[in-house]
Every structure is written in C-alpha cells, then in structure tokens.
Amino acid sequence: MLDTPEAVVEALRENDGLPHGLARTVTAEELVEAAEAFEKPDVLVTALLELMTAYEFTGEHRKSPVVFARILKLWDTTPESFSPYEAHHVFWRFKWVTTSLVQVPEIPLASIGGWIDQMRSRYEAADHAVQPVAAMRYHLAHHTGTGVADAYDLWATRSRTELSDCEACETRHHAWHRLAEGDDTAALAVWQPVLDREQECSEEPRMSQARALLPLLRAGRTDEARSHHLTGYRKVRGATGMQAEVGYHLEFCAHSRNEGRGLEILAENRPLFEAKGAPLDHLHFLTGTEVFLARLVDAGHDDTAVAGPPGRAWTAAELLTHVRAEAEPLAAAFDTRNGTTAVGDRRRARLALAPLLDEPLPLGLRATVAHTSSVGAAPATLTPARTEIPDDFTVLVGEARRLARDGHPGDDRLWARVAERLADATEPYDAILGPEDLLAAELAEHRAQRLWFKDRHTDGAAELDTAIQHYTRLDMPWHALAAKARSRAWTAAPGSRDDDGDRTAPDRASIRTELDAMLREADELLTATPFDSEPLGEAEAAFGSDLRAERILSHLSLHYSVAFAAHQELHAALSRTEEDQEDQEGTGDLDTLTERFERSVDTLRSEAARLGYPHQAANARQFRADLLARRGALADAEKELRAALQEIESADRPWRRPRLAIHLAQLLLAQDRSQEATDLLHSAIADAVAHDDPTLPLGPTYLLLGHAATHLDDANGAVRHLSEAAARFDQAEDAGSAVEARLQLADVLARSGRQADAVAVLESALVDAPPTVDGHMLAQGRLTLGRGLRDLEEYVPAAEELLRLADTVAGWPEEDRGGVLTLVAAEAATTLALAERWEAADTAYERALGAHAEAPNPPLITMMMREFARLTLQTRDSEGTDTALEHLARADAVLATLPSGEEDFAVWYERGENHYRRARVLAEAGRFDEALPEAEAAIAAHDDGGERGELPRAEAVRIAALIEGNGLDRVTEAITRLTVASARCHQTGHPEAAAVLDALHQDLRTR
C-alpha cells in the first residue's frame, strides 16, 4: 500500500533497482501519482526525478521535458525540498531536456535555442561554469549542420566541469565530430579509450561500439569490428532507449554481409518499430533497418520472411517499402524544422554506401541465411579463379571430360552446367559426344563424387551403381570395373551422413574378396583389351585419342580403390584394442592386414610410375603416411608426405596439393611446429582459390588454422579462423561441427579475457545444438557461459545457466559425473548469492555439499564457503557476523577431514585463506583483538607454501597491518610489520606487492 510517504519512498528505492523498461516506467508514473497525494514536496521531487530517469533511458523524449518543467517549478518554489544530490541533478538534467527537444521535429529551433539560453542563465546564477551549455550549443549545431566548426571550438576549448557529461560520453561526441568531418583514423584514435573500456559509464562503451563499427570496417580492423558487434549488441538488444544503436548494428550486418545475423536482430527488436518517443533515434533505427533490408533485397531475398511491426507477416521487400515510407517524411520533418538538409543528407549517405566487404565477415555466430561465397575468403589478396564455362554444349562436355581426366577440380562446375543444360530438355545432342548413356554415366559418377565429399557414402554408392549399369550396357569394361571397385571400396569407410541410425560395421572380408576378384578381372581385361587396342564400341570411340588415358585412369582407379580399402581395414584394426581384435571375425591379424596394405600401395605406386601418372603415386604415399602417423612414426610420415608433394610438382598438378598440405600440417601441429603448419594451411587455401576447388573441406582447414593460432598464442588469429570454420560448417550444413567450432571459439575468447564476446558466441551456439555434439563438450560450453555471465555481473542469468547445467550433470552416470556436479553446484550457489537470491543460494549450497560428500572437491567447497562468508556480510545484514563465521567453521571442518599428506591440492593455501577471510569478517565486526591472531595465522599458513605463498602472504600482512594500525591503534607495530614484509617482497621478486605495502606504510607514517 502506498498510503504513507515512507511507503512511496521505499517503493521508489525498489523501482530504482529494476532494469530500465516498460515495467519500471509504468511504476514510476504510478509513484508520481501516489506522491502527489501528500503535502511533502520532497517525496514528489524524488518521484519526478525517478520518472524522468525512466523516460530518459527508455527513449520517451517527448515526455521528459514535461516532467522536468514540474521539477523546475518545485525548484523555484521550494528549493529546500531538494537534497544536495537532487539539487545537482536539477542542473545536470538541463542537458537531458536539450537533447530531448532536439529529438522531436515539432519543437521549433527558436524554442530549443531559448531553452539553452535559459540553461546558461540558471548556470551563471548558480555560479556554475558554462562548458555544458557550450556542449548543448554544439550538439544543436551538429544536428542542423550550421555553425558546427565555431560551436565545436567554443565547447572543446573550455575546461570540463562537474556538470559536464562524463568523460566517456564527451569522448564519443569528439569522435563523432571527427567522423562527420570524414576522418575515420582520427575518430578511431579519439574513441580508443572508450573502446578499450578505459573510460566507461552507464551508456558507454555500448553506444560507441555501435557507432564505431563502420569506421572499423573501413579501416580494415575487422577483428575489432567483430568483437564490438558481439559485445555491444548484447547491451542494446531490445532497449527502446538504444534503438539508434540497434540500427547501427543492422547497418553493420549489411556492410559485413551478415544477412542471417541481421534477420536475427530484426526478430529480437520487433517492438522498436513502435517505439516512437524519440523520433530522431527512431529515424536512425529505421535508416539502419532500411540499409539492411535494401542489401537483403539486392541479394535476391525479396520474399524472405522478416520480422517487422507486430500484427502481420512481412517479406523483406514489403518491410523495405514500409520502412522507407515512414523514414522519408520523418527525415524531411527534421530538415523542415531545421531549415537545412543535414538530417536528410546523412540518411541518404548511409543508404548510398555500398557493402564494405567482398566476403562475409565471420562472426562466430549461427547463420540464419546461408551465404553463397566462394572458397576464396582467405587469403583476402587473392581473387578466386572461376573455370570458364563454354557456351557451345559439345565444347562444354569435351572440356569437362578433359578436366576430369586431369583430376582438375574445375570439372565440378562444368559437369554441373552440363546437367543444367540437359535438364532444360532443349539442348540438341551431338552424336560426336557418343551415346547419351555415356553422358548419363559420367554425370552419375560426378554426382557420386559430390556425395562422397559430403560424407554421404551410401547415396554415392547408389549413384555409382547407376553409372555401372550404363557402362555395362555401353560395353565399357574398364570404366565399369573402376566404378564397381570404387563403390565397394567406399563401403569400407566408416559412418555415412545419409545412413539412418547406427551403421553396421562394414563386412571388410567380403569387400576384400570382391576387390581381389576385380584385380583378377583387370588382369584378364588387360590381356584381352590392352590400353592401346581399338575402341570396343561407339561409347569408347567418342574419346578418340584420349581413350588410352581413359583406360589407364580406370586401371589406376581400380588399384586406388584396393589400396583405399586396405587402408581403411588396417586403420580400423589399429583403432581397436587387442580384446576387440580377438572378438572381431573375418579381419585377420595385424601382420596380414599390414602385408596386404603394403602390397596394395606398392602396386598403386609402381603402376602410377610405370604409366606416367606420378600424382597417383602421391596417393599411395598419403595412405602410408597416415598409418605411419597412427603408429607414432611422425618423422617417417612427414617424409612420405613431402615426397608426395614433390611427385605432385613433377606431375604439374598443383590443384592436387591442398589435401596433402593439410595432411602434412596436421602432422606438424602434432609435433608443435605450428608456424610451419600455418603456412601450409594458408597455401592449401590459396591453391584451392587459384584452381577453383569447391570440394576442399574448408571448415576443418580453418579449424586447424584456429588450433595453430592458439598454439602460437595468437588469440586474434584463433578467433578469426575459428569464426571462419564455424561459417564454413554452416555452409556445408554440418551443424554438429559448426557448434563444436563455436564452442572452441568461445573457449579461446574466454581464456583471452574477452568474456562478453564468449558469451555472445555461446548464446548462439548452445541453442538447439544437434544430438551429434558430445554432451561433455556442451556441458563445458554451458559452464563457460555461466562463468562469463557472472564475470559480466549478469548474476541471475548466470545462476540460471549453472542450475540448468547442474540438473543435466546430475542425470549423468555416476562414473561420468565425478566431481563435476560438485563444481557446478558450488558455482551456482555462489552466483545466486552474488545475485542476492539467498533462498535459492542456500538450496544450491546444500546441494553442493551433498555432491561433495559423493565426489569430494575440497578447494571448490571451501572457496564457496568463504564466498558465502564474504557476501553474507555485504548483503545479509540481518544475519551478520555469526553466519559468516559459521560458513568459515564449516570450511575448516572440510579441511580437517583430509588425510595427512594430502597432495591433490595446496592445503596450506586453503587454510591460509580461511584464516584471512575470518580476520576480515572479525575486523568488519569491530572485533580487532580476535581478528589480528587470525591474520597472523593466515601469514603463517602461507609461509608453508614457499614461493607460491609469497603473494597471498603479503596480502595477509597488509590486512594484519590495517587491523593493527587502524583497529588497535598500534601504528608503530604495524609500520614495523610492513617494513619487514616489503623487504621480503623485494627479495622474492614481487615489487608490485612491495609497492602496495609501501603505500600503506607511508599512509600510516603520515597519520
């Protein structure tokens, strides 16, 4: 009930603790009505100031000046009703009113100018310096585009005052001025302290992060742009008072070619289309939205469903028309009011700007709209090659066949075009190409190859069966035999993405028998139909002088298939334990399998050399290198791969290098030769770009680059490559790998101190993760998310995440659960305490103790207990010192149960920290005689830690000196204690700790 002034004041206090939004604003309005009922203007003053704050931070600029007029009337009539804090805010909020008036196009310029004049008069009458007045005149000049230079000089050359905007906000305005002058470099230099979080406030850096995005893209500082988008957008998402910033983030999505991300932002900010209390900010939101929608429509997504104003469904084209129809007259209204074209000109400049990047900037987030970019996203200096596609159909087929014989990846694009032309059913077929069945067989083989690269082995084998039927009817035994061998060899490979459920283990003995039969058939065929013999029919005749090469390649393809199957069989045998091998039927022992493998790769290599195809010999070396690596012979494997690369060079087949280079890079990474691996991986991507290879697995390649960058301590490089890996997996529709890449990305971000970035990535990655992702990896991701939210002081969502994780872990088998549940429950309890949700915190506390009883984790439990002791004093005033000391007693009891000689963790540290925390609790309670012995006990405990204990020991000395000098008034003893401890810190190489002790020493001496 709000029937007393005290009840209203308490309600105002509670409302002030709520986040800004509709609920807080409505309550503030109700509290003003309640305050009006009392003859106590001081309560009404407080209520009106709270309401004005609510309007300011929810973008209700039309209403804010009206409220301030009431405040000003009270100031003029009953100034004694204002506390010193409230009196200060009367003058501070003159600036809020000025910016609110600028926001509304119906307010004449003369009225705004008159208001600024009144502001100056009141400042001077109260002996306040007028730098804030000059700032308001500059903001108005910047808005209208008239007298900007002079107004800026008058503001920028005046010294700051206590009523000036905070340093971070003024920095934003200085940077924005440089940006308006067209100087990105100067603007970013001015902005740096805010972007680096050296200057912060309630609005910064989130406002600057949004405004700096395009300058950063133009400057090529894409890593910073990515980070500021990830961290800045989370802080403005859904905030009506930040709708201009949401617009800038949408604009960034257009210019960084992240259409999918832009769609997500629209969906998350749908209410902003109806938030019109701040017309100028609304115009910025609409303009950013229009830039994004225009990009979407230009990219051919006119009919894509998008989130627009509530109440109906929208397509991109429809919403673009709607937004444009609202924004144009709004911009014109400002220009009419101002008598200039400045607002419209800025809007038109934003709309006219072409996308700043040629390829999508990977953000590390899930993409709603798949991009159709080429393989050439890196290196950025390379222009992707595009295989020329002949217009003449006969020439097109001939060129596709030639590239296929050379093993050139450009044949993919040509075969795809052949299929398109045939599907048109209007293409005249030339008999010179051979029977139509021949082309049907070749296209089936091409489809099979595409499916193989997508790990859809079963579907690929089905396409090969189609090809075999065609080749058999056409009397093309070499081609039929090669396709049949490939089909059977593929079934020896593990797991296929197109299989339903668990795939049964391949019957490798049967495969081996069939391939041996095919080798005998090949020998007979070679006797009956040598490579140089005449064509067997019309289909073979269509190859003309290339028939010999066709038969040789089929022959080598058969031997490749045999070697591939032998490799898969031996690889599987090496992967099984000895017990598994004994239970496995029909696989033979390792010696037999090894002998078969060596024989098959030797045959492939010798035949390739004999027939003049050294790049096929490179395949044999790659098989051998893989198995050498599995057996730990990394140096021998490396030699094989380097020799294989040399054979590729001698064959003049540079497009065959990428996969060998990637394989070699993996070996080098295993040997901690990360820089060499990085160079090889970049060269592999460059070759794929240069030779138009759409089949190179770019997701795994960028993943390896990310790992290499991590090993090189290049966090920015790791972030860049892992983000790219996630985007490539998205394009390949490999959702599981995409999630795993994002989880690794978030781990790198968190470990490099970029918690906000990590949280943004994890919030995207953990939504609807596919069941193929390892559950323990997801759990680690959720733990990282919970910790990240806690570090960002978002305690409630952090606790919710950790509690959900605790429930998940509780359902794991006991052998998997281990101490994980203890860890998660303890962290959840501490986080709930930080959020001041004490009832839930106490429940989680007991849950953590229960988990500890099953799977002890003393450091975690004692740390939780110490945190509860600390937070109890800070936030549970009614429970006080006794409850805090009870938590510390329980922590001592945990340590007392440990067996002697415990070496799993530093017991000395835990005991020392318990004493240290107890000393602080007792000191805060004024019980200094009890506190000092605890501090000294902490010093003694940390002494037992040797070198590792020096820093916590120094901190314990500091607390002991404070207790001694301030609490017990024994200043001389405290100074002596600090002198000895400082000297010790210098001797043990801890000058920073010594400096802290010396500063306290000096403070006590001064007293």
Side-chain angles (χ1 to χ4, degrees), residues 189-337:
V190 171
W191 247 323
Q192 209 59 49
V194 175
L195 297 179
D196 289 345
R197 306 186 77 92
E198 294 170 9
Q199 299 173 1
E200 294 184 272
C201 70
S202 62
E203 296 180 333
E204 289 295 350
R206 55 184 172 170
M207 292 183 75
S208 290
Q209 285 175 317
R211 287 164 165 75
L213 291 171
L214 295 196
L216 287 167
L217 287 183
R218 285 194 290 263
R221 293 160 61 175
T222 53
D223 289 344
E224 294 168 77
R226 176 196 298 111
S227 177
H228 289 309
H229 170 67
L230 292 177
T231 60
Y233 172 68
R234 288 190 72 253
K235 294 298 185 181
V236 303
R237 178 175 55 200
T240 55
M242 288 283 166
Q243 60 177 308
E245 283 64 40
V246 173
Y248 291 125
H249 282 282
L250 279 167
E251 194 171 5
F252 164 79
C253 290
H255 287 286
S256 64
R257 298 182 181 272
N258 276 284
E259 294 86 355
R261 173 63 165 170
L263 290 174
E264 291 171 0
I265 291 176
L266 277 180
E268 291 174 336
N269 294 277
R270 200 168 188 179
L272 298 188
F273 286 100
E274 297 180 326
K276 301 180 181 181
L280 185 59
D281 283 349
H282 191 59
L283 176 62
H284 289 315
F285 167 70
L286 292 175
T287 302
T289 303
E290 185 175 344
V291 170
F292 169 71
L293 291 170
R295 164 64 192 152
L296 205 60
V297 170
D298 289 344
H301 300 295
D302 311 53
D303 297 328
T304 296
V306 298
R312 58 160 287 187
W314 297 88
T315 66
E318 290 168 344
L319 185 57
L320 176 60
T321 301
H322 174 84
V323 166
R324 192 170 282 158
E326 183 179 353
E328 286 288 354
L330 184 54
F334 279 108
D335 284 343
T336 299
R337 188 269 303 272

